[in-house]
Every structure is written in structure tokens, then in C-alpha cells.
Amino acid sequence: MPSSAPSPALAVAVSAPLEPGENVLASLDVDLDAQDRFGSGQLLLTERRLLARAPGGAGWHGWALDSPLTLQHTDHGGVGQLSLHDAAARLAVWRYTLGADPAALKLLAAFERQRQRLLHGPGEDDEPPEADEADFAAESPTPPSTWVLLRLSRFAGPYRWQLLLGFMLTLAATAASLVPPYLTIPLMDEVLIPFQNGKQIDTNVVWLLLSGLLGAALLAWALGWWRTWLLAIVSERIGADLRTATFDHLLRLSLDYFGSKRTGDLMSRIGSESDRICVFLSLHALDFATDVLMIGMTAVILFSINPSLALVTLLPLPFIAWMIHLVRDRLRTGFEKIDRVWGEVTSVLADTIPGIRVVKAFAQEQREAERFRRANRHNLEVNDRLNKTWSLFSPTVSLLTEIGLLVVWAFGIWLVSRNQITVGVLTAFIAYIGRFYGRLDSMSRIVSVTQKAAAGAKRIFDILDHVSNVPEPAQPVKLDRLEGALSLQGVGFRYGSRAVIRGLDLEIRPGEMIGLVGHSGSGKSTLVNLICRFYDVTDGAIKVDGVDLRRFGVADYRRHIGLVLQEPFLFYGTVAENIAYGKPDASRAEIVAAARAAHAHEFILRLPHGYDSMVGERGQGLSGGERQRISIARALLIDPRILILDEATSSVDTETEKEIQNALDNLVQGRTTIAIAHRLSTLRRADRLVVMDRGRVVEVGTHDELLARQGAYWRLYEAQARQVDEGDDERAARIPPAAAPAAHPAGVA
């Protein structure tokens, strides 16, 4: 039943002054006014006009599309902007938060298409609005195919001889297991039935037949044990190789890949998905191969015994094959959905456990427990829907095999009554059919685990197939030593459709210290990421010692860069291991020297086990200043030529900042240094300050030069000075009267 509430687009269209026959092609909710205050406005595109109502405004304004108009899109600091221009001037500006950016881009594309239609007529390559990129983003992923399992053969290559031996053992074990039913024919026709008719039993024949049955059983057991052990060993190694290859590839991917993935989902792929594939290879793939061989060899034996009875045996096969085909796609898509939902469950754990201090600090245990319950409940619902399909499929296959067995019994008794086969042949037939239908039922059950493994393999190969946006050069330039000269020439960078750096030019001399300043969102951290080559520029080039850094090997280049972040990350391990992370083979003397230079040696010696003291995950057990000084020691130890300081002292107190600043003074000596800091006073030692705004360099100079110009840097400095003064006044106002010195009137002692 359709909802009675109108859609947002329809509601807007009703309130706008549309002409008869005029239809809305695209719309945008404008939620910021000219002063960046929140409000409610709309921008509509029709076949003829662009209509707009400003936030807080009551009237609509319109511009005809057949006039010379251009619509331009920009974004900066979390705010998007559309501006309308004619040949002479800017006509209007609309600002919005970036949550509405997809709708803005869609409107912009529709605007260009409609103007082309009005000015030049519809073109052959025109796309309807429904074909816009924003719509394709929501398309469901391609469902996994069972054939994806064949791609695992690249990991099976090193073990091909073991796998060949395993196949031969499977063939031999299957053949041995088919001997006992065949021996029942002479046991029935030559021993038991003649005995019932009064003939004496030949004990030699009986012992021979029983020995054959025992020998075949023992041989099948020995071959089966050898095969199972060998293939289990191989499958574990294939699983380990798969995990290693996936993790190695994951480490080589650029940062933008991790920005679009959740930690729990990636952990689930490398852990549980690879385990599922390993179980499939070690158990179910082996069972499947055994089932196929058993069915094939049994069918040959059945036809050799009696072709007409064998044809009756095969009657259920077409129905079972049809059911497998019917349910396979549902299982395949269902298991992939289960994998994604399980990724949600593990993501809640990956979010909550590392952030347990924040959870407890804000008393949000109940909220996180409810979030986990919701994810777990969603997982349960998806599994229940799939189990509903599977619970019907498996018993139905069993029913078909039972019906097939009854048909064989009936047809076999009829053949015995007509003396076309003996009782021994029918007995052997029933024994073979039991194995035949048992394997058929087992094969149908393997459909489930096969589709699980296919879904898991697809999720792993989604990682392995992803190409890094920071590729290795085909012929990397050898890098022995860097001087540290940086040249940024026309650098531009975009996060998706959002331009962050635009046409930036900057020259940095070897050994020079550069301070990057600017408002939040001005592009400082992005520029540092480009210099570290965490991302590649989309326009222009960054050259190091005159060579485009994209020509260096990624790891080779980054070994010459030291990075000190605002929030230092320490790994679980000892203090010494964390300091030596960038140089694992460093001696204890080198580690201590780096710690001394970082002003960390004294507090490390006060720890229970000194340099061998264990550090918890993310540096638990150490203060922020202590973690930062260990981070500085880590950077000092690798002796980098280019040093990046990203807000290295912003989150510590004044005393700790002095300690860290002394450590940084040792660190920057003789290195090309790029420092980002919001506290402008910490950058006075910089040789030059680079002021950024909206992804561009707007000023360059020393602290005193930039203050004398009274430009962008001067405004930042004055604003920060006012904040400090106001903070001092507020602190003074909070001092209670009893703490203030007493004031005495004149002449009173």
C-alpha cells in the first residue's frame, strides 16, 4: 500500500511557483545561509529554469536556462557551494553541508545536460537523469559465483604433487570400498541360498570371501586415513598462504581503501573467511571428490550388473539436479549476506573494545550492548531466512532418494520373480544403491558449504583484486640517500569529487624547517599525506631532489621520512620494541641514544622493567607526553632526511610541551622539517611559515615578516592571542575571593 506522505521532491515542487507543464528534474536542500548559519532553503532544476529559495527567505527567484549561465561547484572545510554566473558577474550563491553533496553533484550534472538540450537539441550521448553516477553507487554487489573457488588453484600450485597423490589415494580408497558389495553376490548365490536348499557350505569359500571383505575394509581404511591426513595438511598450508597473501596485499593498499572499510569486516575476511575456505578444502572438497568418484564408479558397476535396473536407479537424479540448481543461487547470495552481517557484528566489537575507556567514561555500556544486540539480531534474522530454504531442500533430497530405493526394490523383486536376476544380484544392487544414494544425498548437502566457501572466497578476492591508488613504479629509481629538497609544482588533490588542494606551488630547501599554518580544513594534513605519498596527487607533481616521488619505490622512499603524529600509536610490546619499530635490528645502545635525545630515557628507567617494560595496546599505561616522546625516539632512530611533525605538542600540558619541544629541537637538526601546529607560538623557530587557505598557499615568510604584512597570518595570530587573553580573564574570574590578596584601606595596618 503506498504511503500517503508526499516525497520531499514532490512537496518542494508543490510549494514552488511552477508553470503549467513544468517538471522538476533535480532538487537540493540548501541548509546554510550566507553567514553559514543553519536554515532551510531549496534549489530546483526544471526543464526551463533554475529556481531558488534562500534559507530563511519566503520568495522564489528564477533564471531561464536558455540564457548564458554557468553553475560552478566548490567545497571547503565541510561546506559545499554552488554559484551561478552569467557572462558578466556572479548571480547567486548557495551553501550547504557536505551531506548534501551527492544531490548537489546530481543537480549540477542535470543542469549541464538540460542546457545542452535547450541550446543544441538532444544529443545521441545524452544520459537520462536516472543514469547519474550517484544512483549507481547504491547498486548491489555482484553475487559470488561458485567458479570463484577455482581461483584458489593459484595457491594450490606449490602443492600440486601432494594433491595428485591425494587424488590417487582417493581413487584407490573409493575402489577398495566398492569391493565388499560385489563379494556379496557369490556369498548369497553360492553359499547362503544353496545352504537353504540343502547344500553343504564350503568353508574354504566362506573364509575366502570373508577375508576379501575384511581385506577390502582394512585397505579402504588405511588409504582413507592417509588421504585425509595428507589433504588436511595441504589445505591448512593453502589457507595459511591465502591469509598471508591477503594480509600482505592489504598492507600495500593506500590509505583511502582503509577509509572506506571497517576494521571488524577486514578482520573477519582474513580470519573467519579463510578458515571457512580451509575447512572446505580439507573436508568438504575431499568429500565432494570422493562422492563424485563413488557415484561414477558405482554407476559403472551397476550398469555392468544389470543395465535396466541401473536405469531405474538413476530416476531421482534429474529431480535432485533441478532442486540443486533452484536452491544454489539463493544459498550463494544468502551466505554472502550472512558474511556481510557478521562483518557488522565483528565491527561493533572492533569499535567498542579498543574504545572501552571512552565507553565507560561516558557511561555508554548499555548503548554499546544494545548496538551489539541489534547487530547480533540482524545476523540471526538473516541466518533464519537462509535456514528456512535449506531446511526444506535437504529433507526433500532425502525423500527422493528413499523413493528411488523403493522403486529399485519393487523393480528388483519383479525381475527376481521373472528369473532375470538372482537374489544375490539384487542384494548387491541394494548395497551399491545404498552407497550411491548416500553419496548423492551427501553431494546435495555439500551445496551449502560450497556456497559458503564461494562467498568467503569472493570477499577475500575483493581485497586481492583491489589495486592500490599508490602504485609501485615499473622501474623504480634507486634511492641511496636524500638531500631533502622538496618541490611542489601545481599540486592538486581531490577526495572523490571534493577538491582539497588546488594549484599549489612551493619550494623547500634541504635542511629547512617549514611551518604549515591555516584554519582547520585548509589542506595542511592532506599536503603532508601527499609528501609522505600516502596518496598520489591528482594534478601536478611533487619532486624530491628533482625526481618525481612517484618514480621511487614506496617503501624505499618512506624509509627516509620520520613521522610524529598528534596521537602517537604504540604497539603491544616492550618500550624498546616500540622505539625500534622502524629499525628492528637496532642495538640497545642505539635505542637508548634515541630515547636520551627524545628526553624519554629518565621516565623509561622509572618503569618497572625499564626498556623491557610492556606497553599495552595503543600505549595503555603511559601518559600522552610519554607516548609522544617514545614516538619522537622512534623517529630519531631511523635518522630520516625528511621529518613531518603533525600537531606533535597540541594535546599535552605546558610542562610536557616544553619537554617535547626540547626533544623536537634535537630531532629537527639538519633535517628538512615540515611542522603543522595550531599553537602558532611553537613555530617561531621555523625558517619560513607557509599559510594555507582553501587548499592554496596564500602567504610565505618568517614570523616577523608575516606579522608586518598584517595579512592572513596576522589575523590568525591576533585571533589566537585574543583567545589566550580571554581564557586568562575567565580563569581569573573563577578564583574565589578567599584566595585573592586582602585589600586594606589607606592608613589601616
Side-chain angles (χ1 to χ4, degrees):
M1 180 177 178
S3 173
S4 59
S7 68
L10 180 60
V12 170
V14 169
S15 64
L18 299 179
E19 298 173 353
E22 190 175 16
N23 298 310
V24 175
L25 301 179
S27 65
L28 171 67
D29 290 331
V30 181
D31 54 2
L32 296 174
D33 63 13
Q35 286 75 42
D36 287 343
R37 294 174 300 199
F38 284 101
S40 179
Q42 287 88 31
L43 188 60
L44 300 180
L45 177 72
T46 72
E47 300 104 323
R48 310 168 194 171
R49 297 180 296 166
L50 189 66
L51 296 170
R53 180 174 62 81
W60 287 84
H61 300 276
W63 296 268
L65 295 182
D66 54 4
S67 56
L69 297 176
T70 58
L71 191 61
Q72 298 179 2
H73 169 269
T74 57
D75 58 75
H76 174 70
V79 175
Q81 177 176 293
L82 286 177
S83 55
L84 185 67
H85 303 257
D86 63 9
R90 186 170 72 177
L91 303 176
V93 176
W94 302 278
R95 295 165 71 80
Y96 54 88
T97 54
L98 281 181
D101 206 44
L105 293 172
K106 188 173 182 179
L107 185 141
L108 180 63
F111 175 88
E112 296 295 339
R113 283 195 300 268
Q114 191 61 19
R115 283 216 5 106
Q116 290 296 321
R117 289 193 184 100
L118 292 176
L119 297 177
H120 308 293
E124 293 181 0
D125 297 330
D126 275 351
E127 294 181 1
E130 291 79 12
D132 194 71
E133 281 183 7
D135 295 330
F136 285 117
E139 285 186 9
S140 60
T142 305
S145 169
T146 311
W147 296 106
V148 73
L149 292 172
L150 295 179
R151 298 185 62 186
L152 295 172
S153 59
R154 64 180 264 203
F155 297 98
Y159 310 101
R160 55 185 175 276
W161 296 113
Q162 293 95 320
L163 290 171
L164 179 60
L165 177 59
F167 176 76
M168 298 302 295
L169 290 171
T170 301
L171 188 64
T174 305
S177 67
L178 290 174
V179 171
Y182 201 83
L183 294 179
T184 60
I185 297 177
L187 194 61
M188 293 291 294
D189 292 342
E190 298 177 15
V191 177
L192 296 178
I193 293 176
F195 175 74
Q196 285 185 332
N197 294 330
K199 188 177 179 180
Q200 190 69 25
I201 292 178
D202 187 345
T203 54
N204 292 329
V205 173
V206 171
W207 280 112
L208 182 63
L209 292 175
L210 292 179
S211 298
L213 289 171
L214 178 62
L218 289 174
L219 181 61
W221 170 83
L223 293 172
W225 170 81
W226 190 6
R227 172 204 63 183
T228 304
W229 176 81
L230 178 66
L231 294 181
I233 292 295
V234 170
S235 65
E236 287 293 341
R237 278 150 181 76
I238 292 174
D241 293 346
L242 181 63
R243 282 190 291 271
T244 301
T246 306
F247 188 65
D248 286 349
H249 186 77
L250 196 65
L251 292 177
R252 289 194 294 269
L253 294 178
S254 55
L255 287 182
D256 62 338
Y257 179 82
F258 296 91
S260 61
K261 295 290 184 291
R262 300 191 69 177
T263 302
D265 181 62
L266 294 176
M267 291 169 60
S268 173
R269 295 192 197 197
I270 296 176
S272 59
E273 303 297 358
S274 60
D275 283 343
R276 179 182 295 173
I277 292 171
C278 186
V279 170
F280 170 77
L281 292 175
S282 61
L283 298 177
H284 304 297
L286 176 62
D287 290 342
F288 182 77
T290 305
D291 292 343
V292 171
L293 287 172
M294 179 71 79
I295 288 172
M297 296 170 72
T298 304
V300 171
I301 294 174
L302 291 177
F303 274 98
S304 68
I305 295 173
N306 190 290
S308 58
L309 194 56
L311 284 174
V312 173
T313 304
L314 301 179
L315 280 178
L317 272 181
F319 299 100
I320 294 174
W322 174 76
M323 286 196 62
I324 289 174
H325 174 73
L326 188 68
V327 79
R328 183 183 58 188
D329 291 338
R330 294 184 183 180
L331 291 175
R332 187 167 58 222
T333 53
F335 283 127
E336 191 191 16
K337 185 176 289 186
I338 285 174
D339 290 340
R340 291 200 302 270
V341 173
W342 183 248
E344 294 176 10
V345 175
T346 53
S347 292
V348 174
L349 295 175
D351 290 344
T352 306
I353 293 174
I356 192 65
R357 177 175 292 184
V358 177
V359 173
K360 290 185 174 296
F362 289 90
Q364 293 300 308
E365 293 92 341
Q366 186 60 37
R367 175 188 174 187
E368 294 301 328
E370 179 58 32
R371 194 158 71 102
F372 183 81
R373 274 194 291 270
R374 283 198 304 270
N376 206 21
R377 189 163 53 245
H378 188 198
N379 176 63
L380 191 63
E381 291 167 356
V382 172
N383 275 279
D384 285 346
R385 286 197 295 269
L386 189 64
N387 289 331
K388 185 178 179 182
T389 300
W390 180 245
S391 62
L392 179 64
F393 170 74
S394 186
T396 304
V397 172
S398 299
L399 176 63
L400 288 173
T401 57
E402 291 295 331
I403 292 173
L405 187 60
L406 289 175
V407 172
V408 171
W409 267 109
F411 189 62
I413 292 171
W414 181 77
L415 289 177
V416 171
S417 68
R418 295 174 63 89
N419 293 320
Q420 294 186 12
I421 62 172
T422 65
V423 174
V425 170
L426 179 59
T427 304
F429 230 100
I430 295 301
Y432 277 122
I433 288 171
R435 297 175 184 234
F436 183 86
Y437 282 157
R439 294 298 182 173
L440 204 59
D441 187 47
S442 174
M443 280 184 67
S444 68
R445 297 176 190 277
I446 287 175
V447 172
S448 169
V449 294
T450 302
Q451 300 313 315
K452 282 184 181 180
K458 178 183 180 295
R459 281 164 54 79
I460 287 180
F461 281 111
D462 281 344
I463 296 176
L464 292 173
D465 292 340
H466 192 88
V467 179
S468 174
N469 291 337
V470 181
E472 290 281 353
Q475 295 180 330
V477 174
K478 190 175 181 181
L479 189 60
D480 294 325
R481 178 173 174 78
L482 283 181
E483 293 299 324
L486 291 170
S487 176
L488 288 77
Q489 302 171 357
V491 170
F493 179 73
R494 302 180 69 85
Y495 281 117
S497 60
R498 184 169 154 241
V500 183
I501 304 290
R502 305 174 181 86
L504 189 147
D505 294 293
L506 183 63
E507 298 289 335
I508 303 175
R509 297 181 295 274
E512 185 178 21
M513 181 177 180
I514 295 292
L516 285 181
V517 299
H519 292 291
S520 296
S522 60
K524 305 184 298 297
S525 294
T526 301
L527 181 60
V528 163
N529 287 334
L530 293 174
I531 292 173
C532 293
R533 213 190 166 201
F534 294 145
Y535 305 97
D536 271 345
V537 297
T538 50
D539 298 299
I542 298 177
K543 294 186 177 181
V544 179
D545 294 347
V547 180
D548 192 319
L549 63 82
R550 288 170 291 193
R551 297 184 59 195
F552 297 127
V554 176
D556 198 21
Y557 168 66
R558 288 183 187 153
R559 288 191 185 97
H560 297 271
I561 294 179
L563 188 61
V564 180
L565 300 172
Q566 178 180 358
E567 292 293 334
F569 188 97
L570 300 185
F571 296 90
Y572 182 83
T574 66
V575 172
E577 288 170 346
N578 272 281
I579 294 175
Y581 185 77
K583 189 179 178 182
D585 57 347
S587 65
R588 181 55 63 97
E590 290 175 310
I591 293 171
V592 171
R596 285 183 182 277
H599 290 246
H601 181 68
E602 289 76 13
F603 84 78
I604 292 175
L605 291 181
R606 290 196 296 269
L607 296 174
H609 302 287
Y611 284 86
D612 295 317
S613 299
M614 294 298 294
V615 176
E617 287 187 67
R618 292 170 174 80
Q620 294 294 323
L622 298 176
S623 70
E626 289 170 343
R627 290 197 298 269
Q628 190 63 282
R629 277 177 278 173
I630 290 178
S631 174
I632 293 170
R634 183 166 60 193
L636 270 166
L637 186 61
I638 65 172
D639 191 22
R641 294 304 306 155
I642 299 174
L643 179 64
I644 307 293
L645 306 176
D646 191 353
E647 301 285 357
T649 62
S650 65
S651 57
V652 295
D653 58 80
T654 306
E655 284 298 319
T656 305
E657 181 183 359
K658 290 180 180 178
E659 287 287 334
I660 294 175
Q661 197 61 54
N662 291 333
L664 290 176
D665 289 343
N666 293 331
L667 183 58
V668 302
Q669 293 298 322
R671 312 178 202 277
T672 303
T673 305
I674 301 172
I676 300 174
H678 281 300
R679 297 180 189 173
L680 302 181
S681 58
T682 63
L683 295 177
R684 289 187 177 181
R685 295 183 181 87
D687 299 310
R688 285 187 299 160
L689 298 176
V690 176
V691 186
M692 295 186 65
D693 185 43
R694 297 177 182 268
R696 293 186 174 90
V697 173
V698 294
E699 284 184 337
V700 179
T702 64
H703 172 77
D704 294 332
E705 290 172 352
L706 296 180
L707 285 181
R709 292 181 196 173
Q710 295 195 355
Y713 179 78
W714 177 80
R715 289 191 293 272
L716 284 170
Y717 192 82
E718 288 295 308
Q720 198 167 101
R722 283 196 298 272
Q723 289 175 359
V724 172
D725 292 342
E726 290 170 1
D728 291 341
D729 292 343
E730 290 177 3
R731 284 190 292 272
R734 288 196 296 268
I735 297 175
H744 300 281
V748 179

